[in-house]
Amino acid sequence: MDKLMFIETGMGIDVHGQNITKAAVRAVKNAIHYNSMPGIRSVLPENSLDNMKVNVKLAVPCEKEILDIQAVKEALPYGSVTVEVMDGGMMTTSG
């Protein structure tokens, strides 16, 4: 099934450490934190959450090559996860 069902947005920051992976994982967790999708299994093949396709788009301000994409994928508890990284986001100081 290739049908768009939900769009969630999230924000993640690591002001003190400036760690883009930590910020990206926080953004993913923020996006899914308040979700409840009680009927989602009924529209998935074999009624399995493992058959859900999750597409993550991340806007990263710098050093995209050091982003730990596997850590981002592990922040999502279900489905087959793909991660697309693009320029964006904001860098700032902590003081």
mmCIF file with all atom_site columns, all heavy atoms in Angstrom, residues 18-36:
data_model
loop_
_atom_site.group_PDB
_atom_site.id
_atom_site.type_symbol
_atom_site.label_atom_id
_atom_site.label_alt_id
_atom_site.label_comp_id
_atom_site.label_asym_id
_atom_site.label_entity_id
_atom_site.label_seq_id
_atom_site.pdbx_PDB_ins_code
_atom_site.Cartn_x
_atom_site.Cartn_y
_atom_site.Cartn_z
_atom_site.occupancy
_atom_site.B_iso_or_equiv
_atom_site.pdbx_formal_charge
_atom_site.auth_seq_id
_atom_site.auth_comp_id
_atom_site.auth_asym_id
_atom_site.auth_atom_id
_atom_site.pdbx_PDB_model_num
ATOM 1   N N   . GLN A 1 18 ? 25.229 20.649 20.496 1.00 0.00 ? 18 GLN A N   1
ATOM 2   C CA  . GLN A 1 18 ? 25.268 20.859 19.047 1.00 0.00 ? 18 GLN A CA  1
ATOM 3   C C   . GLN A 1 18 ? 25.391 19.537 18.288 1.00 0.00 ? 18 GLN A C   1
ATOM 4   O O   . GLN A 1 18 ? 26.023 19.464 17.241 1.00 0.00 ? 18 GLN A O   1
ATOM 5   C CB  . GLN A 1 18 ? 26.413 21.797 18.667 1.00 0.00 ? 18 GLN A CB  1
ATOM 6   C CG  . GLN A 1 18 ? 26.353 23.177 19.281 1.00 0.00 ? 18 GLN A CG  1
ATOM 7   C CD  . GLN A 1 18 ? 25.213 24.022 18.721 1.00 0.00 ? 18 GLN A CD  1
ATOM 8   O OE1 . GLN A 1 18 ? 25.037 24.083 17.523 1.00 0.00 ? 18 GLN A OE1 1
ATOM 9   N NE2 . GLN A 1 18 ? 24.475 24.667 19.588 1.00 0.00 ? 18 GLN A NE2 1
ATOM 10  N N   . ASN A 1 19 ? 24.767 18.478 18.809 1.00 0.00 ? 19 ASN A N   1
ATOM 11  C CA  . ASN A 1 19 ? 24.833 17.155 18.210 1.00 0.00 ? 19 ASN A CA  1
ATOM 12  C C   . ASN A 1 19 ? 23.636 16.981 17.281 1.00 0.00 ? 19 ASN A C   1
ATOM 13  O O   . ASN A 1 19 ? 22.496 16.919 17.734 1.00 0.00 ? 19 ASN A O   1
ATOM 14  C CB  . ASN A 1 19 ? 24.835 16.096 19.316 1.00 0.00 ? 19 ASN A CB  1
ATOM 15  C CG  . ASN A 1 19 ? 24.949 14.687 18.784 1.00 0.00 ? 19 ASN A CG  1
ATOM 16  O OD1 . ASN A 1 19 ? 24.232 14.283 17.882 1.00 0.00 ? 19 ASN A OD1 1
ATOM 17  N ND2 . ASN A 1 19 ? 25.863 13.932 19.372 1.00 0.00 ? 19 ASN A ND2 1
ATOM 18  N N   . ILE A 1 20 ? 23.900 16.887 15.970 1.00 0.00 ? 20 ILE A N   1
ATOM 19  C CA  . ILE A 1 20 ? 22.781 16.834 15.026 1.00 0.00 ? 20 ILE A CA  1
ATOM 20  C C   . ILE A 1 20 ? 21.999 15.531 15.114 1.00 0.00 ? 20 ILE A C   1
ATOM 21  O O   . ILE A 1 20 ? 20.801 15.518 14.873 1.00 0.00 ? 20 ILE A O   1
ATOM 22  C CB  . ILE A 1 20 ? 23.216 17.113 13.575 1.00 0.00 ? 20 ILE A CB  1
ATOM 23  C CG1 . ILE A 1 20 ? 24.211 16.074 13.078 1.00 0.00 ? 20 ILE A CG1 1
ATOM 24  C CG2 . ILE A 1 20 ? 23.784 18.503 13.429 1.00 0.00 ? 20 ILE A CG2 1
ATOM 25  C CD1 . ILE A 1 20 ? 24.434 16.123 11.584 1.00 0.00 ? 20 ILE A CD1 1
ATOM 26  N N   . THR A 1 21 ? 22.660 14.446 15.473 1.00 0.00 ? 21 THR A N   1
ATOM 27  C CA  . THR A 1 21 ? 21.938 13.178 15.625 1.00 0.00 ? 21 THR A CA  1
ATOM 28  C C   . THR A 1 21 ? 20.980 13.258 16.802 1.00 0.00 ? 21 THR A C   1
ATOM 29  O O   . THR A 1 21 ? 19.817 12.852 16.704 1.00 0.00 ? 21 THR A O   1
ATOM 30  C CB  . THR A 1 21 ? 22.912 11.998 15.801 1.00 0.00 ? 21 THR A CB  1
ATOM 31  O OG1 . THR A 1 21 ? 23.717 11.890 14.615 1.00 0.00 ? 21 THR A OG1 1
ATOM 32  C CG2 . THR A 1 21 ? 22.173 10.699 16.039 1.00 0.00 ? 21 THR A CG2 1
ATOM 33  N N   . LYS A 1 22 ? 21.445 13.794 17.911 1.00 0.00 ? 22 LYS A N   1
ATOM 34  C CA  . LYS A 1 22 ? 20.578 13.933 19.088 1.00 0.00 ? 22 LYS A CA  1
ATOM 35  C C   . LYS A 1 22 ? 19.386 14.828 18.758 1.00 0.00 ? 22 LYS A C   1
ATOM 36  O O   . LYS A 1 22 ? 18.245 14.532 19.117 1.00 0.00 ? 22 LYS A O   1
ATOM 37  C CB  . LYS A 1 22 ? 21.360 14.525 20.258 1.00 0.00 ? 22 LYS A CB  1
ATOM 38  C CG  . LYS A 1 22 ? 20.595 14.519 21.560 1.00 0.00 ? 22 LYS A CG  1
ATOM 39  C CD  . LYS A 1 22 ? 21.396 15.127 22.703 1.00 0.00 ? 22 LYS A CD  1
ATOM 40  C CE  . LYS A 1 22 ? 22.444 14.170 23.192 1.00 0.00 ? 22 LYS A CE  1
ATOM 41  N NZ  . LYS A 1 22 ? 23.122 14.657 24.412 1.00 0.00 ? 22 LYS A NZ  1
ATOM 42  N N   . ALA A 1 23 ? 19.628 15.905 18.040 1.00 0.00 ? 23 ALA A N   1
ATOM 43  C CA  . ALA A 1 23 ? 18.543 16.816 17.656 1.00 0.00 ? 23 ALA A CA  1
ATOM 44  C C   . ALA A 1 23 ? 17.557 16.119 16.704 1.00 0.00 ? 23 ALA A C   1
ATOM 45  O O   . ALA A 1 23 ? 16.342 16.270 16.837 1.00 0.00 ? 23 ALA A O   1
ATOM 46  C CB  . ALA A 1 23 ? 19.113 18.071 17.012 1.00 0.00 ? 23 ALA A CB  1
ATOM 47  N N   . ALA A 1 24 ? 18.074 15.336 15.761 1.00 0.00 ? 24 ALA A N   1
ATOM 48  C CA  . ALA A 1 24 ? 17.218 14.639 14.802 1.00 0.00 ? 24 ALA A CA  1
ATOM 49  C C   . ALA A 1 24 ? 16.354 13.592 15.499 1.00 0.00 ? 24 ALA A C   1
ATOM 50  O O   . ALA A 1 24 ? 15.153 13.476 15.212 1.00 0.00 ? 24 ALA A O   1
ATOM 51  C CB  . ALA A 1 24 ? 18.072 13.995 13.712 1.00 0.00 ? 24 ALA A CB  1
ATOM 52  N N   . VAL A 1 25 ? 16.936 12.840 16.416 1.00 0.00 ? 25 VAL A N   1
ATOM 53  C CA  . VAL A 1 25 ? 16.168 11.831 17.158 1.00 0.00 ? 25 VAL A CA  1
ATOM 54  C C   . VAL A 1 25 ? 15.089 12.514 17.996 1.00 0.00 ? 25 VAL A C   1
ATOM 55  O O   . VAL A 1 25 ? 13.950 12.055 18.063 1.00 0.00 ? 25 VAL A O   1
ATOM 56  C CB  . VAL A 1 25 ? 17.101 10.969 18.036 1.00 0.00 ? 25 VAL A CB  1
ATOM 57  C CG1 . VAL A 1 25 ? 16.314 10.127 19.023 1.00 0.00 ? 25 VAL A CG1 1
ATOM 58  C CG2 . VAL A 1 25 ? 17.976 10.084 17.154 1.00 0.00 ? 25 VAL A CG2 1
ATOM 59  N N   . ARG A 1 26 ? 15.427 13.632 18.604 1.00 0.00 ? 26 ARG A N   1
ATOM 60  C CA  . ARG A 1 26 ? 14.432 14.381 19.386 1.00 0.00 ? 26 ARG A CA  1
ATOM 61  C C   . ARG A 1 26 ? 13.297 14.879 18.493 1.00 0.00 ? 26 ARG A C   1
ATOM 62  O O   . ARG A 1 26 ? 12.132 14.882 18.902 1.00 0.00 ? 26 ARG A O   1
ATOM 63  C CB  . ARG A 1 26 ? 15.096 15.549 20.113 1.00 0.00 ? 26 ARG A CB  1
ATOM 64  C CG  . ARG A 1 26 ? 15.933 15.117 21.283 1.00 0.00 ? 26 ARG A CG  1
ATOM 65  C CD  . ARG A 1 26 ? 16.630 16.281 21.935 1.00 0.00 ? 26 ARG A CD  1
ATOM 66  N NE  . ARG A 1 26 ? 17.384 15.827 23.102 1.00 0.00 ? 26 ARG A NE  1
ATOM 67  C CZ  . ARG A 1 26 ? 18.232 16.574 23.770 1.00 0.00 ? 26 ARG A CZ  1
ATOM 68  N NH1 . ARG A 1 26 ? 18.456 17.837 23.416 1.00 0.00 ? 26 ARG A NH1 1
ATOM 69  N NH2 . ARG A 1 26 ? 18.875 16.086 24.813 1.00 0.00 ? 26 ARG A NH2 1
ATOM 70  N N   . ALA A 1 27 ? 13.614 15.306 17.284 1.00 0.00 ? 27 ALA A N   1
ATOM 71  C CA  . ALA A 1 27 ? 12.579 15.779 16.360 1.00 0.00 ? 27 ALA A CA  1
ATOM 72  C C   . ALA A 1 27 ? 11.628 14.645 15.982 1.00 0.00 ? 27 ALA A C   1
ATOM 73  O O   . ALA A 1 27 ? 10.409 14.830 15.953 1.00 0.00 ? 27 ALA A O   1
ATOM 74  C CB  . ALA A 1 27 ? 13.225 16.368 15.108 1.00 0.00 ? 27 ALA A CB  1
ATOM 75  N N   . VAL A 1 28 ? 12.176 13.465 15.717 1.00 0.00 ? 28 VAL A N   1
ATOM 76  C CA  . VAL A 1 28 ? 11.341 12.312 15.371 1.00 0.00 ? 28 VAL A CA  1
ATOM 77  C C   . VAL A 1 28 ? 10.453 11.938 16.554 1.00 0.00 ? 28 VAL A C   1
ATOM 78  O O   . VAL A 1 28 ? 9.246  11.722 16.406 1.00 0.00 ? 28 VAL A O   1
ATOM 79  C CB  . VAL A 1 28 ? 12.217 11.122 14.921 1.00 0.00 ? 28 VAL A CB  1
ATOM 80  C CG1 . VAL A 1 28 ? 11.406 9.844  14.854 1.00 0.00 ? 28 VAL A CG1 1
ATOM 81  C CG2 . VAL A 1 28 ? 12.867 11.420 13.584 1.00 0.00 ? 28 VAL A CG2 1
ATOM 82  N N   . LYS A 1 29 ? 11.038 11.864 17.733 1.00 0.00 ? 29 LYS A N   1
ATOM 83  C CA  . LYS A 1 29 ? 10.252 11.517 18.917 1.00 0.00 ? 29 LYS A CA  1
ATOM 84  C C   . LYS A 1 29 ? 9.179  12.568 19.196 1.00 0.00 ? 29 LYS A C   1
ATOM 85  O O   . LYS A 1 29 ? 8.062  12.236 19.584 1.00 0.00 ? 29 LYS A O   1
ATOM 86  C CB  . LYS A 1 29 ? 11.163 11.338 20.128 1.00 0.00 ? 29 LYS A CB  1
ATOM 87  C CG  . LYS A 1 29 ? 11.983 10.068 20.045 1.00 0.00 ? 29 LYS A CG  1
ATOM 88  C CD  . LYS A 1 29 ? 12.856 9.892  21.268 1.00 0.00 ? 29 LYS A CD  1
ATOM 89  C CE  . LYS A 1 29 ? 13.609 8.578  21.203 1.00 0.00 ? 29 LYS A CE  1
ATOM 90  N NZ  . LYS A 1 29 ? 14.424 8.338  22.401 1.00 0.00 ? 29 LYS A NZ  1
ATOM 91  N N   . ASN A 1 30 ? 9.513  13.844 18.972 1.00 0.00 ? 30 ASN A N   1
ATOM 92  C CA  . ASN A 1 30 ? 8.539  14.914 19.154 1.00 0.00 ? 30 ASN A CA  1
ATOM 93  C C   . ASN A 1 30 ? 7.376  14.756 18.170 1.00 0.00 ? 30 ASN A C   1
ATOM 94  O O   . ASN A 1 30 ? 6.217  14.966 18.526 1.00 0.00 ? 30 ASN A O   1
ATOM 95  C CB  . ASN A 1 30 ? 9.219  16.269 18.975 1.00 0.00 ? 30 ASN A CB  1
ATOM 96  C CG  . ASN A 1 30 ? 8.287  17.437 19.131 1.00 0.00 ? 30 ASN A CG  1
ATOM 97  O OD1 . ASN A 1 30 ? 7.951  18.088 18.134 1.00 0.00 ? 30 ASN A OD1 1
ATOM 98  N ND2 . ASN A 1 30 ? 7.863  17.720 20.345 1.00 0.00 ? 30 ASN A ND2 1
ATOM 99  N N   . ALA A 1 31 ? 7.676  14.357 16.955 1.00 0.00 ? 31 ALA A N   1
ATOM 100 C CA  . ALA A 1 31 ? 6.634  14.206 15.939 1.00 0.00 ? 31 ALA A CA  1
ATOM 101 C C   . ALA A 1 31 ? 5.663  13.080 16.270 1.00 0.00 ? 31 ALA A C   1
ATOM 102 O O   . ALA A 1 31 ? 4.474  13.192 15.985 1.00 0.00 ? 31 ALA A O   1
ATOM 103 C CB  . ALA A 1 31 ? 7.280  13.965 14.577 1.00 0.00 ? 31 ALA A CB  1
ATOM 104 N N   . ILE A 1 32 ? 6.151  12.013 16.875 1.00 0.00 ? 32 ILE A N   1
ATOM 105 C CA  . ILE A 1 32 ? 5.274  10.864 17.120 1.00 0.00 ? 32 ILE A CA  1
ATOM 106 C C   . ILE A 1 32 ? 4.756  10.784 18.554 1.00 0.00 ? 32 ILE A C   1
ATOM 107 O O   . ILE A 1 32 ? 3.917  9.932  18.862 1.00 0.00 ? 32 ILE A O   1
ATOM 108 C CB  . ILE A 1 32 ? 5.977  9.539  16.755 1.00 0.00 ? 32 ILE A CB  1
ATOM 109 C CG1 . ILE A 1 32 ? 7.154  9.252  17.680 1.00 0.00 ? 32 ILE A CG1 1
ATOM 110 C CG2 . ILE A 1 32 ? 6.390  9.543  15.301 1.00 0.00 ? 32 ILE A CG2 1
ATOM 111 C CD1 . ILE A 1 32 ? 7.732  7.850  17.541 1.00 0.00 ? 32 ILE A CD1 1
ATOM 112 N N   . HIS A 1 33 ? 5.205  11.650 19.415 1.00 0.00 ? 33 HIS A N   1
ATOM 113 C CA  . HIS A 1 33 ? 4.940  11.533 20.848 1.00 0.00 ? 33 HIS A CA  1
ATOM 114 C C   . HIS A 1 33 ? 3.458  11.511 21.221 1.00 0.00 ? 33 HIS A C   1
ATOM 115 O O   . HIS A 1 33 ? 3.050  10.744 22.090 1.00 0.00 ? 33 HIS A O   1
ATOM 116 C CB  . HIS A 1 33 ? 5.644  12.658 21.599 1.00 0.00 ? 33 HIS A CB  1
ATOM 117 C CG  . HIS A 1 33 ? 5.588  12.509 23.080 1.00 0.00 ? 33 HIS A CG  1
ATOM 118 N ND1 . HIS A 1 33 ? 6.367  11.597 23.746 1.00 0.00 ? 33 HIS A ND1 1
ATOM 119 C CD2 . HIS A 1 33 ? 4.841  13.121 24.020 1.00 0.00 ? 33 HIS A CD2 1
ATOM 120 C CE1 . HIS A 1 33 ? 6.101  11.665 25.038 1.00 0.00 ? 33 HIS A CE1 1
ATOM 121 N NE2 . HIS A 1 33 ? 5.184  12.586 25.233 1.00 0.00 ? 33 HIS A NE2 1
ATOM 122 N N   . TYR A 1 34 ? 2.650  12.310 20.605 1.00 0.00 ? 34 TYR A N   1
ATOM 123 C CA  . TYR A 1 34 ? 1.245  12.418 20.993 1.00 0.00 ? 34 TYR A CA  1
ATOM 124 C C   . TYR A 1 34 ? 0.299  11.730 20.019 1.00 0.00 ? 34 TYR A C   1
ATOM 125 O O   . TYR A 1 34 ? -0.865 12.063 19.954 1.00 0.00 ? 34 TYR A O   1
ATOM 126 C CB  . TYR A 1 34 ? 0.847  13.890 21.156 1.00 0.00 ? 34 TYR A CB  1
ATOM 127 C CG  . TYR A 1 34 ? 1.590  14.559 22.273 1.00 0.00 ? 34 TYR A CG  1
ATOM 128 C CD1 . TYR A 1 34 ? 2.640  15.422 22.014 1.00 0.00 ? 34 TYR A CD1 1
ATOM 129 C CD2 . TYR A 1 34 ? 1.250  14.311 23.597 1.00 0.00 ? 34 TYR A CD2 1
ATOM 130 C CE1 . TYR A 1 34 ? 3.341  16.031 23.050 1.00 0.00 ? 34 TYR A CE1 1
ATOM 131 C CE2 . TYR A 1 34 ? 1.946  14.911 24.637 1.00 0.00 ? 34 TYR A CE2 1
ATOM 132 C CZ  . TYR A 1 34 ? 2.985  15.772 24.352 1.00 0.00 ? 34 TYR A CZ  1
ATOM 133 O OH  . TYR A 1 34 ? 3.668  16.355 25.375 1.00 0.00 ? 34 TYR A OH  1
ATOM 134 N N   . ASN A 1 35 ? 0.799  10.766 19.272 1.00 0.00 ? 35 ASN A N   1
ATOM 135 C CA  . ASN A 1 35 ? -0.026 10.079 18.273 1.00 0.00 ? 35 ASN A CA  1
ATOM 136 C C   . ASN A 1 35 ? -0.684 8.844  18.841 1.00 0.00 ? 35 ASN A C   1
ATOM 137 O O   . ASN A 1 35 ? -0.112 8.135  19.658 1.00 0.00 ? 35 ASN A O   1
ATOM 138 C CB  . ASN A 1 35 ? 0.821  9.640  17.085 1.00 0.00 ? 35 ASN A CB  1
ATOM 139 C CG  . ASN A 1 35 ? 1.227  10.803 16.244 1.00 0.00 ? 35 ASN A CG  1
ATOM 140 O OD1 . ASN A 1 35 ? 0.532  11.786 16.179 1.00 0.00 ? 35 ASN A OD1 1
ATOM 141 N ND2 . ASN A 1 35 ? 2.359  10.694 15.600 1.00 0.00 ? 35 ASN A ND2 1
ATOM 142 N N   . SER A 1 36 ? -1.865 8.588  18.369 1.00 0.00 ? 36 SER A N   1
ATOM 143 C CA  . SER A 1 36 ? -2.531 7.321  18.593 1.00 0.00 ? 36 SER A CA  1
ATOM 144 C C   . SER A 1 36 ? -3.231 6.981  17.288 1.00 0.00 ? 36 SER A C   1
ATOM 145 O O   . SER A 1 36 ? -4.021 7.769  16.784 1.00 0.00 ? 36 SER A O   1
ATOM 146 C CB  . SER A 1 36 ? -3.546 7.419  19.734 1.00 0.00 ? 36 SER A CB  1
ATOM 147 O OG  . SER A 1 36 ? -4.221 6.203  19.892 1.00 0.00 ? 36 SER A OG  1
#
